[in-house]
Amino acid sequence: MKSILENRSNLAREVNKVAEVAGYLWQKGWAERNGGNITINITQYVDEAIRKLPAICGVNPIGATLPNLKGCYFYCKGTNRRMRDLARAPMENGSVIRICDDCASYEIIADRHVMPTSELPSHLSVHNYLIGKGSTYKASVHTHPIELVAMTHCNDFLKKDVLTKLLWSMIPETKAFCPRGLGIVPYMLPSSVELANATIKAIDDDYDVVMWEKHGVFAVGEDVIEAFDMVDTLNKSAQIYMDARCMGFVPDGMSDAQMQEISDVFHLPK
Ligand code: 2HA
Ligand code: ZN
């Protein structure tokens, strides 16, 4: 069977980045069973031949009307598919979808009939928001990073920017590479439109990584590697915090003056 990626090196490169990240998520223990999902906006790599591809199956509702997605194409991890399988075979465990002209439904066009992720409403709503804002971000990643999720089981950490400040202060790189910090969305039903809307609100508050209480993170970036790196950096800080607590002490964290110095030298927002 001929893959849509054949002789399309730019498109293949982006899908292969998804496969690379899927492998990391599995290795880190952040992607149990079918946990997590990834979507990327691939519209810029779509040529005339792809546009002419017929739908593999019928038209499916998105569950929301997303006007900025008219004519857009996405690669999406498949629902119930495993990250560890996607890492080996991205076009067997994910598919390319085309948004229909009503902006409320989609068709699968390649490579086979793999229904997209259960979090499609959140992912597509976020892409719709990003396009509307004129953002160049193309990737969104949802995963279950162990230490970060564990920290959301403590109410004190859920207050605005408490976790952000704590995680930034564990290691200098965290603020440098995640300068917008970590937004918090209170617990909501997975896959719900309410969760999608709350995620967009948090991204609109200028966060690139959003914590879903007692569930996981949702990160956006220029590409899937950038989105993954931010989550990885934040989770590393969470691990350092926990290791200190496991050694029997509360970590001091970098001082306000040390944090200020990082912000000045790296030209970061305060
Ligand atoms: O795709 O992680 O939140 C499985 C999930 C849903
Ligand atoms: Zn999840």
Side-chain angles (χ1 to χ4, degrees):
M1 181 189 173
K2 195 165 179 284
S3 171
I4 193 176
L5 304 185
E6 242 177 78
N7 300 322
R8 293 191 177 96
S9 58
N10 289 341
L11 180 57
R13 185 190 61 227
E14 295 308 312
V15 172
N16 287 337
K17 283 188 209 169
V18 176
E20 180 184 335
V21 166
Y24 300 152
L25 300 180
W26 165 248
Q27 285 158 18
K28 285 183 158 290
W30 298 355
E32 72 290 344
R33 199 178 179 277
N34 62 318
N37 26 71
I38 302 178
T39 56
I40 51 170
N41 183 344
I42 55 163
T43 312
Q44 64 187 308
Y45 306 113
V46 165
D47 52 34
E48 225 16 66
I50 295 180
R51 286 187 192 282
K52 287 195 180 126
L53 282 175
I56 288 176
C57 59
V59 170
N60 306 283
I62 297 170
T65 303
L66 305 168
N68 301 332
L69 298 190
K70 197 173 177 143
C72 284
Y73 290 73
F74 295 88
Y75 168 85
C76 308
K77 173 183 172 277
T79 188
N80 261 318
R81 300 300 171 125
R82 288 160 168 79
M83 288 290 181
R84 62 181 190 254
D85 293 332
L86 195 153
R88 263 187 302 107
M91 295 309 292
E92 287 168 31
N93 295 283
S95 50
V96 171
I97 64 166
R98 168 165 57 220
I99 307 299
C100 301
D101 283 347
D102 65 0
C103 298
S105 54
Y106 68 90
E107 302 169 327
I108 301 170
I109 58 155
D111 276 346
R112 51 190 80 187
H113 187 178
V114 175
M115 291 302 285
T117 163
S118 60
E119 297 286 2
L120 197 67
S122 322
H123 280 258
L124 291 185
S125 301
V126 167
H127 286 292
N128 182 66
Y129 165 83
L130 291 170
I131 292 170
K133 227 180 101 179
S135 166
T136 52
Y137 286 5
K138 295 290 186 286
S140 62
V141 175
H142 163 58
T143 187
H144 303 160
I146 301 166
E147 289 80 5
L148 283 175
V149 175
M151 291 182 89
T152 69
H153 286 261
C154 170
N155 217 29
D156 283 349
F157 290 144
L158 299 177
K159 294 176 191 137
K160 188 170 166 56
D161 291 335
V162 170
L163 258 185
T164 295
K165 265 200 91 178
L166 181 79
L167 297 171
W168 278 351
S169 77
M170 287 297 106
I171 181 170
E173 273 77 0
T174 307
K175 186 167 187 190
F177 296 130
C178 306
R180 296 195 170 95
L182 183 62
I184 304 281
V185 166
Y187 182 83
M188 286 176 204
L189 187 70
S191 316
S192 61
V193 171
E194 290 73 26
L195 181 57
N197 289 339
T199 305
I200 289 169
K201 191 175 171 304
I203 293 172
D204 193 46
D205 283 344
D206 214 24
Y207 296 103
D208 284 342
V209 187
V210 178
M211 199 70 232
W212 290 349
E213 179 187 339
K214 301 184 183 98
H215 180 167
V217 297
F218 192 98
V220 291
E222 296 281 345
D223 71 0
V224 68
I225 303 279
E226 184 183 271
F228 167 77
D229 279 339
M230 285 186 289
V231 180
D232 190 31
T233 306
L234 289 163
N235 197 68
K236 174 73 169 277
S237 281
Q239 285 174 320
I240 293 168
Y241 176 81
M242 283 193 182
D243 282 353
R245 296 296 305 244
C246 288
M247 285 187 282
F249 60 90
V250 179
D252 292 338
M254 294 158 58
S255 67
D256 286 348
Q258 289 165 338
M259 293 303 308
Q260 187 59 52
E261 186 187 24
I262 291 284
S263 302
D264 292 344
V265 171
F266 289 88
H267 308 292
L268 305 173
K270 297 291 172 259

